[in-house]
Amino acid sequence: MINIGCLNIRRGLFTKELEIENVIKNQKMDLLFLLEVDTVLTTTNFSNFAKYQPILQETKTQEKSRIVGLVKPDLNESIKVRKDLMYPDLPSIWIEFTKEKVICGAFYREWRDQEGKGSKEDQRYRLQKFIEQVELASSEKKRILIYGDFNLDLKKINDNKYKEHALLEDLQQNMQRLGITPISVGPTFAMNVRKENRTQVVMSDIDH
């Protein structure tokens, strides 16, 4: 059995190393994806983290990484980093467990990329690029597992007034077409808001 997890750390990567190490240890992780890393990372300054082997996303020179993977050291010979599925302008990582014939992908859907592009058309373009990656991975007839933060509320698929409904519908339709079934893990995002002098907590399935 492979134990895989995904955690949005909301920046502060190096200050949270001990906390992340404890998560890995307590959950017995083989592979952990970290999202919203937002740090310039290279094989020189990031060769080991939380006692695990880092896998970096493809980035342009001096661009911040939005996502990294951490692999258990004794699994290094059992995995293959699928750079052929990764683009330098998209925060995604693809890793194959060769023995199990499993391909794992993780994706962070940005509201605005590092060049400041955040229009609806820009967001749709980036989502389509990720779907292209999924299509390529699916064509190999291996088991596909997808993790990440899509910044979409899956519970609102039938709510036509949801402002991100078009993107959500596009994602759902393509995943269904590719035979990928979403797994609900319950609310993954909580936010305090103030309304009419009352503090409320809003929760949703916005991340996974």
Side-chain angles (χ1 to χ4, degrees):
M1 179 183 294
I2 306 171
N3 197 6
I4 304 170
C6 184
L7 180 65
N8 188 324
I9 66 168
R10 300 184 69 183
R11 295 169 286 281
L13 175 66
F14 292 108
T15 64
K16 297 176 180 177
E17 183 171 6
L18 181 58
E19 181 181 352
I20 292 167
E21 184 177 338
N22 287 333
V23 170
I24 289 172
K25 181 179 179 180
N26 294 335
Q27 300 299 322
K28 297 180 174 60
M29 290 291 175
D30 295 310
L31 168 62
L32 177 64
F33 292 107
L34 302 178
L35 310 177
E36 281 197 57
V37 173
D38 293 1
T39 306
V40 177
L41 300 174
T42 67
T43 53
T44 301
N45 73 350
F46 200 63
S47 59
N48 183 282
F49 186 81
K51 299 179 181 178
Y52 268 43
Q53 177 66 42
I55 305 297
L56 303 181
Q57 73 170 87
E58 295 289 288
T59 59
K60 298 176 183 177
T61 303
Q62 293 303 309
E63 272 196 348
K64 293 180 179 179
S65 293
R66 305 302 305 274
I67 177 174
V68 300
L70 299 175
V71 178
K72 191 175 182 179
D74 59 9
L75 292 178
N76 283 339
E77 299 300 320
S78 304
I79 67 164
K80 179 180 180 181
V81 180
R82 295 297 305 271
K83 291 190 176 182
D84 57 310
L85 299 175
M86 296 156 60
Y87 308 147
D89 58 346
L90 197 71
S92 67
I93 292 177
W94 290 88
I95 298 172
E96 180 177 352
F97 287 85
T98 53
K99 182 179 179 180
E100 293 81 4
K101 296 183 179 179
V102 173
I103 302 177
C104 301
F107 174 60
Y108 177 71
R109 192 187 76 80
E110 300 171 294
W111 295 105
R112 188 176 298 276
D113 68 11
Q114 296 190 53
E115 295 180 356
K117 297 178 180 179
S119 69
K120 290 293 185 183
E121 291 75 17
D122 293 326
Q123 293 183 49
R124 182 177 294 278
Y125 169 79
R126 290 192 290 270
L127 184 60
Q128 285 299 323
K129 296 294 283 185
F130 174 70
I131 291 170
E132 285 179 14
Q133 293 179 334
V134 179
E135 287 178 329
L136 289 171
S138 297
S139 68
E140 300 185 25
K141 308 303 180 183
K142 299 172 183 176
R143 187 178 183 187
I144 306 296
L145 302 176
I146 298 175
Y147 300 79
D149 182 343
F150 290 80
N151 281 313
L152 294 169
D153 191 341
L154 303 182
K155 287 185 175 179
K156 295 186 177 180
I157 187 62
N158 296 317
D159 182 359
N160 292 326
K161 295 182 179 179
Y162 176 45
K163 65 177 183 178
E164 307 301 337
H165 186 266
L167 286 175
L168 177 57
E169 188 174 50
D170 192 17
L171 176 65
Q172 185 188 64
Q173 289 177 352
N174 278 284
M175 293 302 103
Q176 288 177 344
R177 174 175 61 84
L178 295 169
I180 296 174
T181 304
I183 299 174
S184 176
V185 295
T188 59
F189 176 80
M191 175 178 62
N192 290 327
V193 297
R194 186 170 295 279
K195 182 178 181 181
E196 297 177 354
N197 298 319
R198 292 182 293 115
T199 300
Q200 297 180 332
V201 176
V202 177
M203 303 184 71
S204 71
D205 290 322
I206 198 170
D207 292 334
H208 300 279

